[in-house]
Amino acid sequence: MNAHGEFTLVNNLSDGNFLKYHCVIRISEKNLEILNINNIFATKKTSYMRIISKSTLVEYYTKDPKSKTALEEWYEKTKKSEWTCYADIKKTFNSVDAVGNQRYVFNVKGNDYRLIILIQFTPKTVYIRFVGTHKEYDAIKDIQNI
Protein backbone atom coordinates (compact mmCIF):
# COMPACT_ATOMS: atom_id res chain seq x y z
CA MET A 1 0.00 0.00 0.00
CA ASN A 2 1.32 3.41 -1.00
CA ALA A 3 -0.52 6.67 -0.49
CA HIS A 4 0.21 10.34 -0.93
CA GLY A 5 -1.72 13.08 0.82
CA GLU A 6 -1.94 16.70 1.79
CA PHE A 7 -3.52 18.28 4.83
CA THR A 8 -3.59 21.43 6.92
CA LEU A 9 -2.52 21.24 10.53
CA VAL A 10 -3.70 23.88 13.00
CA ASN A 11 -1.83 24.32 16.27
CA ASN A 12 -3.88 26.26 18.85
CA LEU A 13 -1.64 28.01 21.35
CA SER A 14 -2.62 28.78 24.94
CA ASP A 15 -2.51 32.56 24.38
CA GLY A 16 -5.32 32.48 21.79
CA ASN A 17 -2.97 32.56 18.80
CA PHE A 18 -2.69 29.74 16.31
CA LEU A 19 -0.27 28.46 13.69
CA LYS A 20 -1.29 26.86 10.41
CA TYR A 21 0.86 24.43 8.47
CA HIS A 22 0.41 22.82 5.05
CA CYS A 23 1.79 19.28 5.01
CA VAL A 24 2.50 16.83 2.18
CA ILE A 25 3.08 13.21 3.16
CA ARG A 26 3.69 9.79 1.61
CA ILE A 27 2.65 6.61 3.37
CA SER A 28 4.01 3.18 2.54
CA GLU A 29 3.49 -0.13 4.34
CA LYS A 30 6.43 0.57 6.64
CA ASN A 31 6.93 4.34 6.62
CA LEU A 32 5.27 7.68 7.00
CA GLU A 33 7.39 10.23 5.18
CA ILE A 34 6.87 13.99 5.44
CA LEU A 35 7.71 15.37 2.02
CA ASN A 36 7.02 19.02 2.70
CA ILE A 37 5.78 21.18 5.56
CA ASN A 38 5.20 24.93 5.25
CA ASN A 39 4.10 27.41 7.85
CA ILE A 40 1.17 29.12 6.16
CA PHE A 41 0.65 31.80 8.80
CA ALA A 42 0.43 32.62 12.46
CA THR A 43 -2.41 34.77 13.60
CA LYS A 44 -4.46 35.84 16.55
CA LYS A 45 -8.06 34.86 16.98
CA THR A 46 -10.17 37.99 17.06
CA SER A 47 -13.51 38.73 18.53
CA TYR A 48 -14.78 42.09 17.41
CA MET A 49 -17.55 44.13 18.95
CA ARG A 50 -21.09 43.38 17.78
CA ILE A 51 -23.21 46.53 17.51
CA ILE A 52 -26.96 46.49 18.04
CA SER A 53 -28.06 48.09 15.96
CA LYS A 54 -26.68 50.06 13.05
CA SER A 55 -30.22 50.86 11.92
CA THR A 56 -30.52 53.21 14.92
CA LEU A 57 -27.62 55.27 13.53
CA VAL A 58 -28.96 55.13 9.96
CA GLU A 59 -32.39 56.26 11.10
CA TYR A 60 -30.82 59.20 12.94
CA TYR A 61 -28.49 60.38 10.19
CA THR A 62 -31.24 60.04 7.60
CA LYS A 63 -33.07 62.76 9.57
CA ASP A 64 -29.86 64.73 10.28
CA PRO A 65 -27.44 64.23 7.34
CA LYS A 66 -24.73 66.40 8.95
CA SER A 67 -24.17 63.61 11.46
CA LYS A 68 -23.70 60.82 8.90
CA THR A 69 -19.92 60.90 8.40
CA ALA A 70 -19.14 61.13 12.11
CA LEU A 71 -21.60 58.39 13.10
CA GLU A 72 -20.34 56.08 10.34
CA GLU A 73 -16.75 56.66 11.50
CA TRP A 74 -17.77 55.80 15.07
CA TYR A 75 -19.49 52.64 13.83
CA GLU A 76 -16.53 51.46 11.73
CA LYS A 77 -14.00 52.01 14.54
CA THR A 78 -16.25 50.34 17.09
CA LYS A 79 -17.04 47.22 15.05
CA LYS A 80 -13.30 46.62 14.51
CA SER A 81 -12.52 46.98 18.22
CA GLU A 82 -11.82 44.25 20.75
CA TRP A 83 -12.71 46.06 23.95
CA THR A 84 -12.45 44.23 27.23
CA CYS A 85 -12.69 47.22 29.58
CA TYR A 86 -13.12 51.00 29.77
CA ALA A 87 -9.39 51.60 29.25
CA ASP A 88 -9.64 49.86 25.86
CA ILE A 89 -12.47 52.17 24.83
CA LYS A 90 -10.41 55.21 25.87
CA LYS A 91 -7.60 54.05 23.58
CA THR A 92 -10.03 54.11 20.65
CA PHE A 93 -12.11 57.16 21.65
CA ASN A 94 -10.53 59.60 24.05
CA SER A 95 -13.80 61.54 24.36
CA VAL A 96 -15.77 58.71 26.01
CA ASP A 97 -17.07 58.86 29.60
CA ALA A 98 -18.28 56.02 31.80
CA VAL A 99 -21.59 57.01 33.40
CA GLY A 100 -22.40 53.82 35.34
CA ASN A 101 -24.60 50.78 34.84
CA GLN A 102 -22.49 49.61 31.86
CA ARG A 103 -23.27 52.84 29.98
CA TYR A 104 -20.79 55.05 28.16
CA VAL A 105 -21.26 58.44 26.55
CA PHE A 106 -19.40 59.28 23.36
CA ASN A 107 -18.95 62.83 22.10
CA VAL A 108 -19.28 62.71 18.34
CA LYS A 109 -18.34 65.35 15.75
CA GLY A 110 -16.67 67.75 18.13
CA ASN A 111 -19.36 67.32 20.78
CA ASP A 112 -22.21 68.21 18.37
CA TYR A 113 -23.74 64.77 18.97
CA ARG A 114 -23.82 62.27 21.78
CA LEU A 115 -24.18 58.51 21.82
CA ILE A 116 -25.17 56.56 24.90
CA ILE A 117 -23.99 53.00 24.61
CA LEU A 118 -24.50 50.00 26.86
CA ILE A 119 -21.55 47.63 26.60
CA GLN A 120 -21.34 44.03 27.72
CA PHE A 121 -17.65 43.22 27.45
CA THR A 122 -17.79 39.43 27.80
CA PRO A 123 -20.05 38.79 24.80
CA LYS A 124 -18.47 41.86 23.13
CA THR A 125 -21.84 43.46 22.48
CA VAL A 126 -22.57 47.16 22.10
CA TYR A 127 -26.16 48.38 22.41
CA ILE A 128 -26.96 51.83 21.07
CA ARG A 129 -29.33 53.35 23.63
CA PHE A 130 -29.44 56.99 22.46
CA VAL A 131 -28.29 59.10 19.52
CA GLY A 132 -28.91 62.83 19.57
CA THR A 133 -27.62 66.34 19.84
CA HIS A 134 -25.86 67.64 22.91
CA LYS A 135 -29.02 69.58 23.78
CA GLU A 136 -31.19 66.44 23.52
CA TYR A 137 -28.68 64.58 25.68
CA ASP A 138 -28.84 67.29 28.37
CA ALA A 139 -32.60 66.72 28.65
CA ILE A 140 -32.14 63.07 29.70
CA LYS A 141 -33.18 62.66 33.33
CA ASP A 142 -31.94 59.14 34.12
CA ILE A 143 -28.95 58.25 31.94
CA GLN A 144 -28.16 55.03 33.85
CA ASN A 145 -31.47 53.46 32.85
CA ILE A 146 -31.83 54.63 29.28
Side-chain angles (χ1 to χ4, degrees):
M1 173 189 119
N2 286 322
H4 181 268
E6 296 184 31
F7 63 94
T8 300
L9 173 70
V10 177
N11 185 9
N12 290 307
L13 305 175
S14 62
D15 63 359
N17 292 320
F18 64 92
L19 301 172
K20 250 187 177 180
Y21 300 93
H22 179 77
C23 304
V24 179
I25 61 170
R26 181 174 38 217
I27 302 170
S28 66
E29 289 181 22
K30 296 182 181 181
N31 294 318
L32 169 78
E33 185 179 358
I34 297 174
L35 302 175
N36 192 353
I37 185 165
N38 292 315
N39 183 351
I40 300 172
F41 60 83
T43 189
K44 182 178 180 183
K45 292 181 182 178
T46 56
S47 179
Y48 297 120
M49 304 307 288
R50 180 173 178 227
I51 303 170
I52 302 173
S53 95
K54 184 176 182 181
S55 64
T56 304
L57 297 177
V58 173
E59 184 179 314
Y60 187 84
Y61 68 61
T62 299
K63 294 176 188 171
D64 185 350
K66 293 182 290 182
S67 67
K68 181 177 181 175
T69 300
L71 291 174
E72 283 289 333
E73 286 175 4
W74 178 89
Y75 178 83
E76 290 301 318
K77 281 184 182 179
T78 300
K79 80 174 187 177
K80 294 176 184 172
S81 296
E82 296 181 70
W83 299 330
T84 60
C85 63
Y86 177 57
D88 291 343
I89 303 170
K90 285 294 268 188
K91 290 176 189 173
T92 308
F93 296 102
N94 192 41
S95 65
V96 65
D97 292 307
V99 293
N101 202 20
Q102 300 178 314
R103 281 148 176 89
Y104 300 85
V105 176
F106 292 79
N107 297 322
V108 179
K109 196 179 175 205
N111 213 17
D112 289 347
Y113 301 95
R114 294 269 176 110
L115 287 170
I116 300 174
I117 308 302
L118 184 146
I119 301 175
Q120 293 180 334
F121 291 107
T122 302
K124 297 208 177 290
T125 305
V126 174
Y127 298 91
I128 300 171
R129 308 298 294 163
F130 168 84
V131 184
T133 64
H134 196 148
K135 184 178 179 181
E136 292 166 333
Y137 168 82
D138 287 341
I140 297 171
K141 304 252 187 262
D142 187 8
I143 195 168
Q144 291 188 0
N145 292 310
I146 192 166

